[in-house]
Amino acid sequence: NKDGTFTNVAKEMHIQYETFTMGCNYGDLDNDGWLDFYLAIGAPDYKAIFPNRMFHNDEGKRFQDCSISGGFGQLQKGHAVAFCDIDMDGDQDIYADYGGFYYGDIYENALYENPGFSNSWVNIKFEGVKSNRGAIGTRVKLTFDDSGNRRSTYLTISKGASFGGNPIRLQAGVGKATVIDEIEVTWPATGQKDIYTNVAVNKVYKAKEGDKQLTEWDIKPFELKTMERRMAAGDTAKMHHHVHMQM
């Protein structure tokens, strides 16, 4: 409200839910430049069975519950959540820690591979010099043209929200932008601003505090070796087959 107060807009944003949230985190599922969030839901009681919930940001107008349609509505108790481009293909995958408090309530963790949504992105690994080396607390403003709509997004280098950690590098979606007009970086210890213009999209970069330009980081994407893909490729040499027989 620009006067030190806040207005509760949960109902207007379609997130007026009561949940038993154990952990949560945020990221950009479809690289549209609007941040989404995932709630890891649970409670110690065996009877506490609620689906974990993913909310997609509809251009800042509302949040859409895509827990079921996106395959995120796991009924096992949720804990830590991380949004991370694990396979370095430009979109953020989600790693979630599942399982209850009691030994009999344990469960496997899950890695949700992002299928991709054809939007543009940029990844940047910042390194502080006078600021902390991990660049935690560094504020980044990206300005770009998204299908004729010039807009800016604002991100802070951090581990994300509670009970889980995102990587401490910039992972930013920029919608349909073909180039990022400007990236303004404000370092936490000094307040120094580094500005980069006409940055190519769909690339990974590195930058130290005070650098005049970004350095392209040649990291190759790789395919996650799921069991289905290994079987399709005939790679079964190291697989263990467990057969349970009833006597």
Side-chain angles (χ1 to χ4, degrees):
N1 297 327
K2 300 182 179 180
D3 61 358
T5 65
F6 292 82
T7 299
N8 185 355
V9 295
K11 185 175 182 180
E12 291 84 347
M13 298 299 288
H14 296 184
I15 52 173
Q16 72 281 17
Y17 304 103
E18 294 182 5
T19 63
F20 293 93
T21 304
M22 298 282 285
C24 64
N25 221 324
Y26 59 88
D28 190 350
L29 288 174
D30 52 1
N31 282 333
D32 63 353
W34 300 93
L35 294 178
D36 317 299
F37 67 96
Y38 190 38
L39 300 181
I41 297 173
D45 196 305
Y46 276 109
K47 298 187 294 294
I49 300 176
F50 310 95
N52 294 271
R53 305 184 77 165
M54 179 72 80
F55 291 90
H56 174 256
N57 190 331
D58 182 15
E59 299 182 348
K61 295 176 288 191
R62 67 186 67 83
F63 284 95
Q64 301 164 329
D65 188 339
C66 62
S67 309
I68 304 303
S69 60
F72 301 105
Q74 172 63 261
L75 288 176
Q76 301 297 327
K77 297 174 176 65
H79 293 281
V81 177
F83 284 72
C84 175
D85 183 8
I86 291 177
D87 49 6
M88 298 305 295
D89 62 353
D91 48 48
Q92 294 180 37
D93 312 295
I94 295 91
Y95 187 81
D97 177 33
Y98 294 129
F101 177 79
Y102 298 105
Y103 182 79
D105 206 15
I106 61 175
Y107 197 75
E108 298 173 341
N109 297 337
L111 172 59
Y112 298 98
E113 182 182 10
N114 196 320
F117 291 87
S118 75
N119 284 326
S120 300
W121 52 273
V122 66
N123 280 354
I124 307 176
K125 178 67 174 77
F126 291 107
E127 182 179 328
V129 178
K130 293 183 179 179
S131 299
N132 65 88
R133 186 172 182 179
I136 295 173
T138 299
R139 290 175 288 137
V140 184
K141 175 185 176 183
L142 301 96
T143 302
F144 52 92
D145 185 285
D146 183 6
S147 299
N149 177 30
R150 183 174 173 82
R151 64 189 182 99
S152 297
T153 59
Y154 301 81
L155 298 167
T156 300
I157 305 301
S158 73
K159 299 293 285 184
S162 69
F163 224 156
N166 294 343
I168 51 173
R169 67 172 184 266
L170 181 76
Q171 304 178 120
V174 291
K176 298 300 182 184
T178 57
V179 66
I180 302 172
D181 298 326
E182 182 179 278
I183 299 178
E184 179 185 285
V185 182
T186 304
W187 293 91
T190 62
Q192 173 181 315
K193 294 183 184 295
D194 294 334
I195 296 177
Y196 308 102
T197 58
N198 299 319
V199 177
V201 298
N202 302 336
K203 292 182 180 294
V204 184
Y205 298 96
K206 293 190 292 185
K208 284 188 177 181
E209 185 174 4
D211 281 356
K212 300 302 181 183
Q213 62 183 16
L214 298 171
T215 301
E216 191 169 338
W217 193 4
D218 186 23
I219 295 183
K220 303 297 184 184
F222 61 91
E223 185 177 67
L224 296 175
K225 293 293 186 180
T226 64
M227 182 175 292
E228 290 79 5
R229 287 172 182 162
R230 291 177 63 185
M231 292 180 67
D235 179 17
T236 59
K238 296 181 180 180
M239 289 186 180
H240 297 281
H241 299 274
H242 299 275
V243 179
H244 299 276
M245 301 181 64
Q246 293 183 346
M247 302 299 291

